[in-house]
């Protein structure tokens, strides 16, 4: 139900209000970029959004997503011990220098991946979940297909440029935004790790420092993942939240680390300055019930609806609720009773069904007879 409501809201938001014209005037570095609203999935800015490029360690957004799915489903737990294999310990690039046979909890593995982009921990978790990295990569590609990531093909769980097939390890800024949204929206516990600036593992013996500098220097930053290889350049999926608006900014192929952070900051600043997220509230509403065991039934919106609007029009939003004059029992839970309409001026932004919160049984013949008799006696 939650996913259906969000999809509905996204469709409504896309057609509700035109994007401010100055979106096209943004100067954003890198080869490609996307700004997306996390709640509705609405794209607010894009540049070469579907160009398939090497993502470097931003790949680990998908790795973390599959780990979080396994945790939230109960397949594994935070306290499970994971043993480093020879393959995991041999991973290069960013790492915490796992030794063959060393054990570490899932909590510390996830922390090391999210904060320090540890390739060895990513490989160890892939093997723990799927038996081998190659089997885990199959799951990554299956999940990418489920999410509609049409520009994506993964060949490893780290984003390293090693291996004969590394050249085919590709995704796009848009696809990165899709998997980042899936991770942050449906697995919010990941933010306990993606918002860490500095921490330790191995009982304080090994320090971790977040590779995403926006966590410390950008107000409202919630994540998410950096990446760099000589082939990919500097990449970043950055998420931040202010005043109920949660945004995802993605840049790929930046020439310097500073350029990627500046690009995402520019997009996030633009989003927060120009857009707002509203959740229409219907208030308390009831509809009289004829021949029912209850005299009335509460009418509520069929689903939670989030609408992305131009921030300048936020004060002009108004809510209108139209309900049936009455309804005859029996009334079923979820039965439509009217419509909640969200407007700006005369423009309709959304129409949401108002439905019965609970069911109301019809009175029996004898209950109706006694009710009528009682009414006659009172008169």
């Amino acid at each position: 139900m939650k996913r259906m409501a969000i999809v509905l809201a996204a469709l409504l938001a896309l057609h509700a209000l035109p994007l401010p014209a100055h979106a096209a005037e943004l100067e954003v570095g890198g080869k490609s970029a996307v700004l997306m609203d996390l709640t509705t999935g609405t794209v607010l800015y894009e540049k070469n959004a579907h160009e398939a490029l090497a993502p470097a360690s931003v790949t680990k957004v998908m790795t973390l997503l599959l780990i979080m799915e396994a945790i939230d489903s109960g397949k594994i737990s935070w306290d499970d011990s994971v043993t480093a294999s020879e393959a995991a310990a041999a991973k290069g690039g960013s790492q915490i220098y796992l030794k063959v046979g060393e054990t570490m909890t899932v909590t510390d593995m996830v922390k090391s991946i999210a904060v320090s982009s540890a390739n060895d921990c990513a490989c160890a978790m892939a093997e723990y979940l799927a038996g081998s990295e190659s089997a885990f990569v199959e799951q990554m590609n299956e999940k990418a297909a489920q999410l509609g990531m049409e520009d994506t093909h993964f060949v490893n769980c780290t984003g390293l440029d090693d291996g004969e097939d590394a050249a085919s390890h590709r995704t796009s800024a848009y696809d990165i935004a899709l998997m980042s949204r899936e991770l942050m929206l449906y697995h919010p516990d990941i933010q306990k790790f993606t918002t860490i600036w500095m921490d330790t593992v191995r009982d304080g013996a090994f320090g971790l420092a977040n590779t995403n500098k926006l966590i410390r220097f950008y107000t409202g930053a919630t994540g998410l993942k950096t990446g760099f290889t000589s082939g990919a350049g500097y990449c970043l999926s950055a998420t931040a939240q202010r005043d109920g608006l949660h945004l995802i900014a993605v840049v790929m192929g930046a020439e310097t680390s500073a350029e990627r952070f500046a690009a995402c900051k520019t997009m996030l600043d633009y989003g927060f300055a120009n857009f707002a997220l509203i959740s229409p509230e219907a208030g308390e509403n009831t509809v009289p019930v004829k021949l029912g065991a209850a005299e009335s039934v509460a009418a509520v919106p069929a689903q939670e609806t989030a609408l992305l609007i131009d921030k300048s029009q936020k004060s002009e939003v108004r809510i209108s609720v139209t309900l049936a004059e009455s309804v005859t029992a029996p009334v079923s839970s979820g039965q439509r009773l009217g419509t909640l309409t969200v407007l700006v001026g005369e423009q309709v932004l959304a129409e949401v069904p108002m439905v019965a919160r609970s069911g109301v049984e019809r009175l029996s013949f004898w209950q109706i007879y006694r009710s009528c008799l009682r009414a006659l006696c009172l008169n």
Side-chain angles (χ1 to χ4, degrees):
M1 179 63 75
K2 180 179 179 183
R3 290 182 184 237
M4 287 180 63
I6 290 172
V7 170
L8 171 64
L11 293 174
L12 292 168
L14 282 168
H15 294 92
L17 295 173
L19 302 185
H22 45 279
E25 301 171 5
L26 289 181
E27 293 185 7
V28 175
K31 293 179 180 179
S32 67
V34 160
L35 176 66
M36 179 182 286
D37 170 54
L38 190 146
T39 302
T40 66
T42 306
V43 173
L44 307 177
Y45 170 82
E46 59 183 310
K47 180 179 79 171
N48 303 325
H50 290 280
E51 184 177 356
L53 299 167
S57 281
V58 181
T59 298
K60 297 189 185 84
V61 171
M62 180 60 80
T63 302
L64 289 168
L65 173 57
L66 294 185
I67 293 171
M68 292 303 298
E69 284 187 342
I71 291 170
D72 290 345
S73 69
K75 180 180 178 181
I76 63 174
S77 73
W78 290 109
D79 295 327
D80 286 358
S81 291
V82 180
T83 303
S85 68
E86 187 172 340
K91 287 291 180 182
S94 300
Q95 56 185 302
I96 64 166
Y97 305 99
L98 288 173
K99 293 183 168 99
V100 178
E102 181 179 359
T103 61
M104 189 170 281
T105 64
V106 168
T107 296
D108 282 349
M109 287 279 185
V110 171
K111 184 194 298 184
S112 300
I113 297 168
V115 178
S116 290
S117 195
N119 294 315
D120 45 2
C121 292
C123 182
M125 285 302 303
E127 293 173 342
Y128 183 67
L129 286 172
S132 68
E133 183 179 1
S134 60
F136 185 79
V137 170
E138 289 182 13
Q139 295 178 11
M140 292 171 69
N141 285 316
E142 288 173 2
K143 187 65 180 181
Q146 291 173 15
L147 296 178
M149 296 169 58
E150 297 180 357
D151 312 316
T152 298
H153 176 68
F154 295 118
V155 301
N156 59 54
C157 67
T158 61
L160 287 169
D161 287 340
D162 55 0
E164 295 180 359
D165 53 356
S168 62
H169 187 86
R170 293 290 184 268
T171 189
S172 66
Y174 178 77
D175 283 3
I176 289 173
L178 287 181
M179 64 179 178
S180 298
R181 177 174 183 258
E182 184 77 7
L183 175 61
M184 299 295 280
L185 186 61
Y186 298 112
H187 306 281
D189 282 350
I190 194 62
Q191 293 183 44
K192 296 175 183 177
F193 302 96
T194 58
T195 54
I196 292 172
W197 175 238
M198 299 187 76
D199 207 331
T200 63
V201 290
R202 298 189 179 107
D203 297 323
F206 191 91
L208 305 175
N210 204 317
T211 55
N212 180 9
K213 306 309 176 188
L214 295 184
I215 292 300
R216 182 177 182 184
F217 298 109
Y218 192 82
T219 302
T222 56
L224 177 59
K225 191 71 199 71
T226 60
F228 169 78
T229 64
S230 57
Y234 291 88
C235 306
L236 175 63
S237 177
T239 56
Q241 186 171 23
R242 294 180 188 173
D243 300 323
L245 182 63
H246 208 164
L247 300 176
I248 306 164
V250 179
V251 64
M252 301 183 72
E255 294 184 359
T256 66
S257 180
E259 183 181 60
R260 68 178 169 187
F261 291 124
C264 286
K265 182 178 181 297
T266 294
M267 287 187 284
L268 292 171
D269 285 348
Y270 163 75
F272 289 128
N274 290 283
F275 299 95
L277 194 70
I278 60 169
S279 297
E281 295 184 4
E284 295 185 5
N285 298 276
T286 59
V287 174
V289 178
K290 296 179 180 179
L291 305 179
E295 294 182 354
S296 64
V297 61
V300 297
Q303 68 273 319
E304 295 181 5
T305 302
L307 291 172
L308 189 71
I309 64 169
D310 188 315
K311 196 172 186 177
S312 65
Q313 295 185 296
K314 186 175 181 180
S315 62
E316 302 174 28
V317 174
R318 58 189 177 89
I319 309 298
S320 172
V321 175
T322 305
L323 297 172
E325 291 185 4
S326 63
V327 63
T328 301
V331 179
S332 57
S333 177
Q335 181 176 325
R336 182 154 186 174
L337 301 174
T339 304
L340 179 152
T341 305
V342 186
L343 307 99
V344 168
E346 298 304 315
Q347 182 181 5
V348 176
L349 301 187
E351 291 184 330
V352 181
M354 295 287 289
V355 299
R357 175 183 288 164
S358 58
V360 179
E361 294 182 357
R362 185 182 177 87
L363 293 172
S364 69
F365 171 80
W366 290 109
Q367 286 174 319
I368 294 173
Y369 175 76
R370 286 198 297 269
S371 178
C372 291
L373 187 61
R374 187 182 305 112
L376 287 172
C377 291
L378 290 174
N379 290 333

